[in-house]
Amino acid sequence: MIRIRRIQLDDPLYPQACALREDVLLSTVGWTMDDYRREMPGREEAAEHYVAVADHPQGERVIACACLLPPQTGETAGKVTQVCVDRQRQGEGVGRRLLTSIEARAFGELALEQLYCHAQVDALPFYERLGWRSSGEEFIEAGIPHRKMTLFEPSAALRPAEGA
């Protein structure tokens, strides 16, 4: 059984999430988690951390993870970062379940109007299948082509524009 959980930095699953991020995301650009923390100071502490865990004979195993950066004061958009799924579990819908949980938190509990992420170009179809849309031109981040992807809170389209 796969469960989606929100964890804190002191959770016993956090080191597994970091190892997965290093393996799937960071190592492709020559970074470690220490490099990430040094280049993005305070981001780990500011982010909400989510994991997908599966039962294993040796205990729970993190098979996917992602972070949600809540908006800064006065902003209405949160940023989804560090989305990754164990290579052996890709294509099983784990990433979809993880993102759906983050979307529910962002739009339902935090009342955000928008989420965005910087998606690697290879991952665009994944986000598009979930209703995310590309915006802006392709750009290079960490040496890899990316596009900004956005997702708006479903009822935001029904509200009148500000000043209308």
Side-chain angles (χ1 to χ4, degrees):
M1 176 190 296
I2 297 170
R3 292 170 306 286
I4 307 299
R5 292 185 36 200
R6 181 175 164 199
I7 63 170
Q8 303 298 320
L9 299 182
D10 62 353
D11 191 289
L13 295 173
Y14 178 72
Q16 285 187 48
C18 290
L20 182 63
R21 288 164 59 188
E22 269 193 1
D23 179 51
V24 175
L25 295 174
L26 300 175
S27 68
T28 62
V29 296
W31 280 18
T32 64
M33 278 301 296
D34 287 338
D35 297 324
Y36 180 82
R37 286 183 190 99
R38 186 173 40 259
E39 293 296 322
M40 308 291 183
R43 185 173 277 192
E44 282 296 287
E45 294 77 15
E48 294 183 2
H49 296 264
Y50 295 83
V51 294
V53 294
D55 293 327
H56 186 274
Q58 297 174 347
E60 291 181 313
R61 292 286 182 242
V62 173
I63 60 170
C65 56
C67 298
L68 171 62
L69 285 167
Q72 300 295 316
T73 303
E75 296 178 351
T76 59
K79 183 176 184 183
V80 175
T81 67
Q82 297 287 292
V83 178
C84 62
V85 178
D86 185 298
R87 288 181 180 90
Q88 295 179 346
R89 303 301 297 259
Q90 291 178 3
E92 296 180 12
V94 177
R96 175 188 47 78
R97 288 185 56 196
L98 185 63
L99 263 264
T100 300
S101 293
I102 291 172
E103 291 167 14
R105 165 86 171 136
F107 297 134
E109 297 174 27
L110 299 177
L112 301 182
E113 294 178 9
Q114 178 184 0
L115 286 174
Y116 73 97
C117 71
H118 294 170
Q120 293 181 16
V121 170
D122 291 346
L124 295 181
F126 165 75
Y127 289 98
E128 289 168 346
R129 284 191 300 274
L130 296 176
W132 292 65
R133 297 291 170 245
S134 295
S135 62
E137 298 296 317
E138 188 174 298
F139 59 93
I140 302 297
E141 186 172 273
I144 299 171
H146 285 71
R147 296 271 315 257
K148 182 177 181 180
M149 301 293 288
T150 56
L151 182 69
F152 290 90
E153 192 269 327
S155 65
L158 303 176
R159 288 194 293 266
E162 262 187 55

